[in-house]
Amino acid sequence: METMAVGVEETDPPNHLGGRRRQWGAERRSEPLSLMHPTPSSRKIAWGRVAITVTVLAWIGYVITTILRQLADNPYAGFRFQFEATLYLVVVTFLTFSALMYLVARQGALHRFAEHRRVPRGELDRHFRDYEHGVTVLVPSYAEEPGVVRATLWSAALQEFPDLRIVLLIDDDPFPVDPAVRERLEATRRLAAEIAQTLEVPHGRALARLEAFRAGHAAGVPEAVLLGAAVQSYRDAADWLESLAESEPVNDHVDEFFVDSVLMGLSRELRLTLLALEAAVAQDASPGHDRLEELHLRLVRTFDAKLSHFERKRYASLSQEANKAMNLNAYISLMGRSWLPEQRGDDLILRELPAESAGDGSDSGADGRMDVPDSTYLLTLDADSLLLRDYCLRLVYFLESEENARIAVTQTPYSSFRGAPTRIERIAGATTDIQHILHQGKTRYNATFWVGANAVIRKRALQDIAQVNTVGGHEIHTYIQDRTVIEDTESSIDLGTYGWGLSNYPERLSYSATPPDFGSLVVQRRRWANGGLLILPKFWTQVRERRYRREPLGLREVLLRVNYMGSIAWASLGLVFLLAYPYDSRLLSPLIFAAAVPYFLCMGSDLRDCGHRFSDIFRIYGFNLVLLPVNLAGVAKSIQQAFTGEKIPFARTPKVRDRTSAPGVYVAVPYLIVAFSLLTLWRDVANQNWGNAAFAGINAALTFYAIRAYIGFRNSVTDMALGLLSWLFVPRRKRPLPLPEHPPANPATTDWATILYHGDRRLNRDLRRKNDRRKRIGVK
């Protein structure tokens, strides 16, 4: 979808952080939530059970006292009434089912939060003291701002792990013509080397102190002296982090989080250890040689990270599909082997080298050879996400517990950055925090879904679900399916089919950006709404196969997974029916309201626990109403894809300082909802149909508020005008000149290598254009 940056409709003073202007009603709180969820009381858990019971009983009561009674009392009411009653029951049932699944997942989260106990720091240090396995962090990036990617890479580089490799997977066009785009790409390419160079100072110092400690212990240096050296090491490390934090620019709430929670959060943790060591010195005590060595190793691991970048689009032998999944798959397929770049005509391909000629595991060889190290674990991290300090350490420790030997993916579903300067970002962040709780609850019932922003993955599990296809004479390995744009959801089903499980770690250790305006939110939510229906048949296949293997899935797991993949479709269609169809007032009942009340009360309680407001339940309802056309478009795209079999290009969520314009139709439909709801209100008041009138009035009021708060009236006019203009004026497309049937007659200018490689010059049209771009910008 094409988007453009336009001015921001605001009259409030600028944000004190120097970024996007703050709106009235934006979030004032900037401190993030605690790492640990608050332990729920037994009373809260009991009320959760009551909410589930009331929802079920209210639905049963409605079916008996309203639907069945009306059909029994009116046997000759006619086909229309019977059809309305059946359709209304179906809609109410699906909506009640989704509300019930919310309550079930929430109840599972409450139990997990009550049972979770954090692994002590000493146990982590002991486990990873002589650790030999490695983690490769893969950061897929496409057209991202270098500043955003830089913060993500820093949060990954400061993960404490013995063997940590970070690879920035740049998916931009390698040879852009636009000077601004080329400058941004070059800045992104430099990030890995710049961060690695910055880490050399603290890492070299920590490594030297570790070697000095070991040499001192071997020479019989008193332990008090060795303890004093450890004190100095932690003081120096904390000072270095604080100096780095002071040099960081803070332009918005995300920058503030990066400085305060990533950099200063690690510094505060090191200073806490420093406090303990200074107390030991003051008390003439010592942690002992082994513990002191573990503390030195911790500093070495914290600042030891190997960073590089990789661009798959340089190589014709790798997949060129425009989506995040194939960007990840391309690099994963290279791991553990050595490759030699070769020029074949105007193609650059990677040729695998035999095992005996492989290098020593370094990233590149002197002869141009590219050695891609293997690792036991992968950590996938979106380029706009941030990890807290011990994300990697704690999640790998979790995977290596004996009871988790068949867990393929573990993650902490991301939370939202606090201090959002716009109303829509605050409400979108509130829904993100609610989803965090629900994903945590799904794990209790083995219904976890991989949420692609971040995850630690057991590489062996991906190899189990890998598929190999030959495209253009090259083998293309697919580990993460790219059939839909919610590739992580489909991969969750694939892993379950092979007997692997997934789990959400019950702490808040990852954060990700939420869209700051309606235009960028449209891109994100339309992508989320597309794909669930396509994956459902694969899930039913898994259910049958697991039953055949006598490994049946639990009922709650099946229900939660079906709701996760299909609820956007039936909730959107059901809401359209309730808004548009003039159903019979005899079908209304207070029991429908009673079935919905527990859902809204529990959501309000969850919002308050996450630092939001209880009244946000009404704002979220209006938020969902203005997103109704977006969700319907995503569902329609899924249906289209089911019939055509075509892949949907991955639409990146725009991240710009200014506002992103939204397609005019998505802005116009909320106004139509308000108009139709007001018409329905007037008609129902005239007919004294008070139940329908109240529903229509609430929808009109909340949708009108959502338009004003999340879109803006002036922005609405701008976006609808731009949409109309783009529909009326279509730019003329220039037809490419036909290629000659035969090579040019002049042998001195004929590209003989390309002709010999491709065989038919007409098949090489795209590559010729790429080479033309390279020549225009002076790339050899």
Side-chain angles (χ1 to χ4, degrees):
M1 183 190 72
E2 294 184 359
T3 59
M4 62 180 70
V6 296
V8 182
E9 175 191 350
E10 278 307 322
T11 58
D12 294 342
N15 178 6
H16 73 285
L17 296 176
R20 189 181 291 267
R21 297 168 68 95
R22 296 196 67 87
Q23 293 180 340
W24 176 84
E27 191 170 24
R28 302 299 175 184
R29 166 181 175 166
S30 61
E31 64 273 14
L33 299 172
S34 62
L35 300 179
M36 298 286 293
H37 298 88
T39 303
S41 64
S42 56
R43 178 182 178 182
K44 187 168 188 173
I45 295 175
W47 276 113
R49 297 192 185 100
V50 170
I52 294 173
T53 303
V54 169
T55 301
V56 174
L57 292 180
W59 177 81
I60 294 175
Y62 171 73
V63 173
I64 295 174
T65 62
T66 302
I67 299 298
L68 296 181
R69 193 186 72 176
Q70 288 293 337
L71 292 177
D73 292 347
N74 301 279
Y76 305 108
F79 173 77
R80 176 175 177 176
F81 178 76
Q82 294 175 350
F83 175 77
E84 287 184 8
T86 302
L87 185 59
Y88 194 75
L89 175 61
V90 170
V91 171
V92 169
T93 299
F94 273 106
L95 295 178
T96 304
F97 172 72
S98 291
L100 180 63
M101 290 301 99
Y102 178 98
L103 298 175
V104 170
R106 174 184 183 270
Q107 193 71 5
L110 295 179
H111 283 288
R112 296 194 72 217
F113 299 158
E115 297 166 359
H116 178 62
R117 300 294 180 270
R118 204 161 204 240
V119 179
R121 179 74 233 188
E123 285 298 313
L124 296 175
D125 291 339
R126 178 195 58 79
H127 180 81
F128 290 100
R129 176 174 179 171
D130 300 313
Y131 195 75
E132 297 179 351
H133 302 291
V135 168
T136 299
V137 183
L138 303 179
V139 183
S141 170
Y142 174 72
E144 297 284 358
E145 291 298 323
V148 174
V149 181
R150 179 179 177 274
T152 300
L153 292 178
W154 265 116
S155 75
L158 292 175
Q159 291 297 307
E160 177 189 339
F161 206 80
D163 183 9
L164 184 68
R165 290 180 175 271
I166 302 169
V167 185
L168 176 61
L169 304 178
I170 303 175
D171 218 23
D172 301 41
D173 179 1
F175 312 109
V177 176
D178 189 331
V181 175
R182 187 163 65 248
E183 182 180 356
R184 183 186 64 196
L185 176 59
E186 291 299 331
T188 304
R189 287 168 173 165
R190 292 192 298 268
L191 289 175
E194 291 171 353
I195 294 175
Q197 184 178 7
T198 306
L199 284 172
E200 288 178 358
V201 173
H203 176 253
R205 182 169 53 213
L207 190 59
R209 297 276 176 82
L210 173 62
E211 293 172 352
F213 169 81
R214 289 171 172 169
H217 176 72
V221 175
E223 200 159 286
V225 177
L226 298 177
L227 177 59
V231 169
Q232 188 60 44
S233 295
Y234 272 79
R235 182 177 293 114
D236 290 342
D239 289 343
W240 184 87
L241 285 167
E242 290 163 5
S243 176
L244 179 63
E246 289 176 1
S247 67
E248 287 294 314
V250 178
N251 296 317
D252 55 27
H253 61 301
V254 179
D255 292 340
E256 184 180 12
F257 178 89
F258 171 67
V259 170
D260 185 65
S261 296
V262 176
L263 299 180
M264 293 302 297
L266 177 56
S267 175
R268 287 190 292 268
E269 191 166 297
L270 296 182
R271 288 206 176 274
L272 182 61
T273 303
L274 175 61
L275 174 64
L277 294 176
E278 289 176 336
V281 171
Q283 299 170 26
D284 292 329
S286 175
H289 167 265
D290 290 346
R291 190 70 182 107
L292 284 175
E293 185 175 21
E294 290 171 356
L295 293 175
H296 278 289
L297 284 168
R298 177 185 177 187
L299 290 181
V300 173
R301 292 195 298 259
T302 299
F303 300 114
D304 182 18
K306 304 174 184 65
L307 291 95
S308 61
H309 73 271
F310 180 78
E311 298 178 65
R312 62 160 174 146
K313 289 184 177 177
R314 285 181 173 270
Y315 306 104
S317 55
L318 299 178
S319 172
Q320 304 296 306
E321 293 282 353
N323 57 65
K324 183 177 74 173
M326 294 311 297
N327 190 13
L328 291 167
N329 290 330
Y331 190 83
I332 296 172
S333 67
L334 303 178
M335 294 180 66
R337 291 178 284 179
S338 295
W339 305 85
L340 184 66
E342 284 189 354
Q343 196 72 41
R344 302 272 183 92
D346 48 10
D347 279 352
L348 182 65
I349 69 166
L350 291 175
R351 179 172 62 85
E352 184 178 0
L353 295 175
E356 57 271 14
S357 62
D360 57 0
S362 60
D363 291 335
S364 61
D367 57 352
R369 182 187 65 246
M370 183 170 63
D371 299 326
V372 184
D374 205 356
S375 63
T376 305
Y377 300 103
L378 302 173
L379 195 165
T380 59
L381 178 63
D382 280 1
D384 61 350
S385 298
L386 296 178
L387 303 179
L388 295 186
R389 45 199 170 273
D390 48 1
Y391 175 97
C392 192
L393 203 68
R394 292 187 178 276
L395 269 62
V396 171
Y397 181 88
F398 172 82
L399 286 177
E400 300 204 335
S401 301
E402 186 176 351
E403 65 271 19
N404 298 322
R406 292 298 297 175
I407 297 295
V409 177
T410 185
Q411 63 195 351
T412 61
Y414 63 88
S415 300
S416 63
F417 296 114
R418 310 316 295 263
T422 62
R423 292 179 289 265
I424 193 169
E425 185 174 358
R426 185 182 77 80
I427 291 300
T431 62
T432 295
D433 294 336
I434 288 293
Q435 287 299 317
H436 172 92
I437 295 175
L438 299 183
H439 280 291
Q440 293 287 3
K442 289 182 175 73
T443 295
R444 183 174 178 86
Y445 309 112
N446 298 318
T448 306
F449 278 96
W450 179 1
V451 183
N454 67 88
V456 175
I457 309 162
R458 205 183 298 269
K459 187 168 178 283
R460 181 164 55 92
L462 290 185
Q463 292 169 338
D464 284 352
I465 64 173
Q467 298 178 2
V468 181
N469 298 297
T470 301
V471 178
H474 304 291
E475 284 191 353
I476 303 299
H477 295 253
T478 302
Y479 304 91
I480 304 168
Q481 291 296 323
D482 67 327
R483 188 169 61 106
T484 68
V485 291
I486 49 172
E487 69 287 335
D488 40 16
T489 300
E490 185 167 6
S491 297
S492 302
I493 304 302
D494 293 336
L495 291 167
T497 302
Y498 282 81
W500 289 99
L502 301 92
S503 181
N504 289 310
Y505 194 75
E507 296 183 13
R508 288 190 183 93
L509 297 175
S510 65
Y511 287 77
S512 192
T514 47
D517 53 60
F518 186 68
S520 54
L521 185 73
V522 165
V523 178
Q524 183 194 69
R525 297 305 170 101
R526 188 172 63 176
R527 186 177 71 237
W528 288 2
N530 178 17
L533 295 178
L534 296 175
I535 303 171
L536 267 172
K538 179 179 284 191
F539 175 63
W540 291 121
T541 301
Q542 180 196 129
V543 171
R544 291 193 300 270
E545 290 180 359
R546 292 285 293 270
R547 187 184 298 119
Y548 178 78
R549 300 200 307 256
R550 300 187 181 276
E551 300 172 358
L553 302 179
L555 176 61
R556 284 177 292 190
E557 176 183 356
V558 173
L559 296 180
L560 285 168
R561 289 191 183 277
V562 170
N563 180 71
Y564 182 80
M565 290 181 280
S567 60
I568 290 181
W570 64 62
S572 300
L573 295 173
L575 189 55
V576 168
F577 169 75
L578 294 179
L579 288 170
Y581 190 81
Y583 46 84
D584 197 300
S585 61
R586 290 174 292 178
L587 300 176
L588 292 178
S589 168
L591 290 175
I592 297 178
F593 178 75
V597 165
Y599 165 76
F600 285 105
L601 291 179
C602 288
M603 179 186 287
S605 175
D606 296 338
L607 287 167
R608 198 161 46 195
D609 289 344
C610 293
H612 301 282
R613 309 165 192 168
F614 187 92
S615 58
D616 284 340
I617 57 175
F618 303 108
R619 297 181 182 91
I620 290 176
Y621 183 81
F623 177 82
N624 290 330
L625 283 174
V626 297
L627 284 178
L628 179 60
V630 180
N631 291 331
L632 287 173
V635 172
K637 207 69 174 177
S638 293
I639 297 174
Q640 173 193 344
Q641 189 177 354
F643 282 99
T644 63
E646 297 178 352
K647 293 181 181 179
I648 304 299
F650 185 88
R652 168 186 168 271
T653 304
K655 302 174 187 68
V656 295
R657 289 289 180 186
D658 294 323
R659 189 181 66 85
T660 302
S661 64
V665 64
Y666 297 134
V667 178
V669 170
Y671 285 93
L672 296 179
I673 293 176
V674 173
F676 189 81
S677 297
L678 291 175
L679 176 63
T680 303
L681 173 63
W682 172 79
R683 183 187 60 200
D684 288 333
V685 168
N687 296 331
Q688 296 186 352
N689 191 350
W690 304 115
N692 290 352
F695 181 68
I698 291 173
N699 288 329
L702 292 180
T703 306
F704 182 82
Y705 168 82
I707 292 172
R708 168 65 185 89
Y710 307 143
I711 305 176
F713 297 133
R714 282 191 297 173
N715 292 340
S716 299
V717 173
T718 301
D719 291 347
M720 286 189 284
L722 289 174
L724 181 62
L725 289 175
S726 64
W727 180 68
L728 292 176
F729 299 97
V730 180
R732 180 180 298 175
R733 295 183 179 180
K734 295 182 179 180
R735 297 182 61 182
L737 295 176
L739 294 174
E741 290 293 331
H742 302 286
N746 186 0
T749 60
T750 299
D751 188 354
W752 61 270
T754 298
I755 295 175
L756 292 179
Y757 181 65
H758 286 282
D760 188 341
R761 204 163 166 77
R762 290 171 300 176
L763 301 178
N764 202 28
R765 185 190 303 268
D766 294 336
L767 291 172
R768 287 178 60 195
R769 291 172 182 164
K770 179 183 73 175
N771 288 337
D772 289 343
R773 291 200 308 271
R774 296 175 65 179
K775 292 175 183 177
R776 286 198 299 271
I777 63 177
V779 177
K780 295 182 179 181

